[in-house]
Amino acid sequence: MQKKGKVIIFSAPSGSGKTTIVKHLIANNPDLGFSISACTRDKRGREEQNGKDYYFLTPEEFRSKIEKEEFIEWEEVYQGNFYGTLKSEIDRIWNEGKNVIFDVDVKGGLNLKEYFGNKALAVFVKVPSIEELKSRLNDRGTDSEHSISQRVFKAKFELGFENKFDVTLLNESLDESLEKAQTLYDEFKEN
Ligand code: 5GP
């Protein structure tokens, strides 16, 4: 893989608002390309598309890509649900002359930060509290009770990794967070 462009990584416990922030940056920055992860979970209703939000794979397809070393990193993020970053995604985006933007969980974010070194800016998106996180997951209305409790359990663990990231973005007011994220990207790409 050629090491060219830069990468900006957004990591957070599920429900912190990072996907909204990432989508906003993509919509407003034509020089950013989204790294579409592969995953084995079910598609969420009509709001998600294969090849846009994720590459939705069967567990067998995912395993075969692990064996062929097609991933930079992969993880069983939730029990039985695998997620991973494909090497081919980075090539695709850098070949378009763009910087890469990632939406991954906390462990994946740290693995990517290590892999890309000083080409990466790793941003930890933080919710004000676990209670706020629970209510956001409930309001989202896309996850079962089991899925929400798995996500909250994992979030409590993930909050301990904040200080390993380059910067924290506290997501209290979405408008302000969107602005802060844009400023972070502008400053990062100029340096
Ligand atoms: P969701 O099921 O809500 O789309 O994603 C669950 C979690 O997996 C989120 O925190 C999401 O950012 C993370 N995730 C998505 N793609 C990847 C990936 O390629 N690698 C890792 N490690 N986590 C990912």
Side-chain angles (χ1 to χ4, degrees):
M1 188 190 301
Q2 256 181 299
K3 298 244 168 184
K4 23 191 193 187
K6 291 189 169 191
V7 311
I8 183 162
I9 304 158
F10 284 85
S11 291
S14 181
S16 309
K18 73 175 181 307
T19 302
T20 309
I21 294 170
V22 166
K23 285 190 170 160
H24 175 85
L25 286 178
I26 294 164
N28 289 285
N29 296 274
D31 62 349
L32 268 178
F34 179 55
S35 167
I36 303 165
S37 295
C39 79
T40 63
R41 78 152 162 75
D42 293 337
K43 218 188 292 177
R44 282 188 190 125
R46 290 190 183 175
E47 67 197 75
E48 289 188 326
Q49 283 172 36
N50 186 35
K52 180 168 173 272
D53 299 283
Y54 283 106
Y55 300 111
F56 293 96
L57 305 183
T58 63
E60 292 69 36
E61 288 168 333
F62 200 97
R63 213 168 297 130
S64 147
K65 289 190 187 294
I66 295 173
E67 274 159 23
K68 290 193 234 150
E69 299 187 355
E70 291 183 29
F71 289 108
I72 294 175
E73 60 83 36
W74 64 269
E75 245 189 284
E76 187 175 4
V77 174
Y78 299 108
Q79 203 183 7
N81 284 335
F82 293 82
Y83 295 75
T85 302
L86 291 161
K87 293 176 184 167
S88 55
E89 278 300 285
I90 314 308
D91 288 335
R92 173 180 72 76
I93 296 163
W94 279 351
N95 285 337
E96 288 172 7
K98 297 181 179 182
N99 295 318
V100 183
I101 183 164
F102 291 98
D103 172 346
V104 293
D105 82 334
V106 170
K107 200 166 153 210
L110 291 176
N111 285 335
L112 290 169
K113 175 174 158 56
E114 191 182 322
Y115 181 86
F116 289 104
N118 62 9
K119 289 178 161 297
L121 179 72
V123 183
F124 187 90
V125 181
K126 195 175 167 184
V127 265
S129 68
I130 288 285
E131 280 61 42
E132 175 71 23
L133 184 93
K134 271 188 211 163
S135 85
R136 287 190 196 179
L137 286 168
N138 275 313
D139 293 350
R140 186 158 89 177
T142 52
D143 297 273
S144 65
E145 243 176 73
H146 175 67
S147 164
I148 291 178
S149 67
Q150 269 195 322
R151 283 162 196 264
V152 170
F153 179 81
K154 186 168 182 277
K156 289 181 183 163
F157 170 74
E158 290 179 322
L159 287 172
F161 291 90
E162 177 189 347
N163 63 1
K164 297 203 181 300
F165 283 76
D166 297 314
V167 53
T168 295
L169 180 56
L170 179 64
N171 188 13
E172 277 180 311
S173 132
L174 185 61
D175 284 346
E176 274 178 35
S177 299
L178 297 178
E179 249 180 66
K180 278 190 224 156
Q182 183 64 53
T183 306
L184 282 174
Y185 178 56
D186 289 339
E187 286 172 1
F188 173 60
K189 75 174 176 187
E190 295 313 327
N191 293 318

